[in-house]
Amino acid sequence: MKKFILIIAVALFINSCGEEKKGGRGRINYDMIKEKAGITGATAEAFDQITADFGKQMRELSEKHKANNTKMSEEERAQFFAQQDEKIKGILTPEQYAIYETEIKIERKGREQHNIALIKEELALDSAQAEMYDKTQAVFYKTLRDNHDSYHGKPDVYKQFYQELDGSRRAALKEFLTEEQYKKYEELAAQYKLGERGR
């Protein structure tokens, strides 16, 4: 329990030193989606054009909100994504779109957070452990997001920052997981390549 309190203290300290930007959702791994859905040739070119166009529009929209000191609403974001998805649907087969739809939802939510949830399921935690696990992960990712400006566009800085923060996360996990559960967590973290953006 003491180590869990420590990770919160570390997180709050890092947050106080960082910039206040919320966000840092990261780029969508469209190459991986294309590979999983078997999108190739002329269809891949059309796919790339659509995602590039919408990516540009999203950046412009984000800059507009930033200039006006406003935040994009979830409804506005959902409408934007729906427009892109409709365009994508028009160039894919039903089978390809089904894969795209599944993968894009994971990417938009955050693939690593998705993997963290999968790891949680595999650890077979009791209710108290599950609550502590969720709190530990929430602190970790909030700290990572809040410090986005510190490492944006600097992969080496991101990697170092992630590793240092991950050390605190693992110390907290060790405090309430059994030795067997923690060993499994480490194996799954390596399997899911936590911390490796690959984008």
Side-chain angles (χ1 to χ4, degrees):
M1 190 60 158
K2 289 179 182 176
K3 288 182 181 177
F4 181 67
I5 294 170
L6 174 63
I7 191 175
I8 294 177
V10 169
L12 291 174
F13 172 75
I14 294 172
N15 281 344
S16 69
C17 297
E19 306 220 11
E20 286 294 322
K21 181 169 180 176
K22 313 286 183 203
R25 287 176 180 248
R27 293 178 297 148
I28 303 295
N29 192 342
Y30 288 118
D31 288 340
M32 183 206 64
I33 294 176
K34 284 190 294 183
E35 184 178 341
K36 285 194 173 189
I39 301 169
T40 58
T43 304
E45 291 178 14
F47 182 95
D48 290 344
Q49 188 61 57
I50 292 169
T51 56
D53 289 346
F54 274 90
K56 182 181 177 184
Q57 289 174 41
M58 177 57 89
R59 286 190 296 275
E60 290 172 352
L61 194 55
S62 296
E63 286 301 317
K64 182 180 176 183
H65 276 284
K66 189 175 178 181
N68 295 328
N69 201 25
T70 57
K71 186 178 178 182
M72 193 182 304
S73 69
E74 286 303 314
E75 183 181 355
E76 187 178 9
R77 189 183 299 278
Q79 288 175 352
F80 183 88
F81 289 152
Q83 291 172 12
Q84 174 177 308
D85 295 345
E86 193 60 31
K87 287 269 191 183
I88 293 290
K89 190 174 186 179
I91 65 167
L92 301 182
T93 66
E95 294 76 16
Q96 287 175 324
Y97 186 75
I99 296 170
Y100 165 83
E101 191 172 33
T102 297
E103 296 300 325
I104 198 69
K105 282 178 182 175
I106 294 172
E107 286 288 309
R108 286 171 180 160
K109 181 181 177 183
R111 186 161 297 273
E112 182 157 304
Q113 285 87 336
H114 174 76
N115 291 339
I116 283 292
L118 294 179
I119 291 173
K120 179 184 176 182
E121 289 177 18
E122 294 192 50
L123 292 178
L125 306 175
D126 63 32
S127 58
Q129 287 177 316
E131 184 180 357
M132 293 296 282
Y133 182 91
D134 290 343
K135 285 180 179 177
T136 301
Q137 301 297 352
V139 169
F140 178 85
Y141 287 107
K142 182 181 186 308
T143 304
L144 202 60
R145 284 193 308 271
D146 287 354
N147 287 273
H148 176 258
D149 284 353
S150 303
Y151 56 75
H152 180 67
K154 305 170 187 172
D156 291 340
V157 174
Y158 169 81
K159 186 176 180 180
Q160 182 181 354
F161 182 76
Y162 188 103
Q163 287 174 346
E164 290 173 0
L165 195 59
D166 187 45
S168 293
R169 171 171 62 175
R170 288 175 186 251
L173 291 170
K174 260 186 176 178
E175 195 66 19
F176 60 86
L177 296 180
T178 65
E179 189 175 330
E180 185 179 345
Q181 285 172 325
Y182 183 74
K183 183 179 179 184
K184 189 170 185 180
Y185 174 86
E186 287 193 313
E187 291 170 356
L188 292 169
Q191 178 186 320
Y192 285 110
K193 300 180 180 178
L194 300 186
E196 297 180 27
R197 290 179 152 188
R199 301 185 179 184

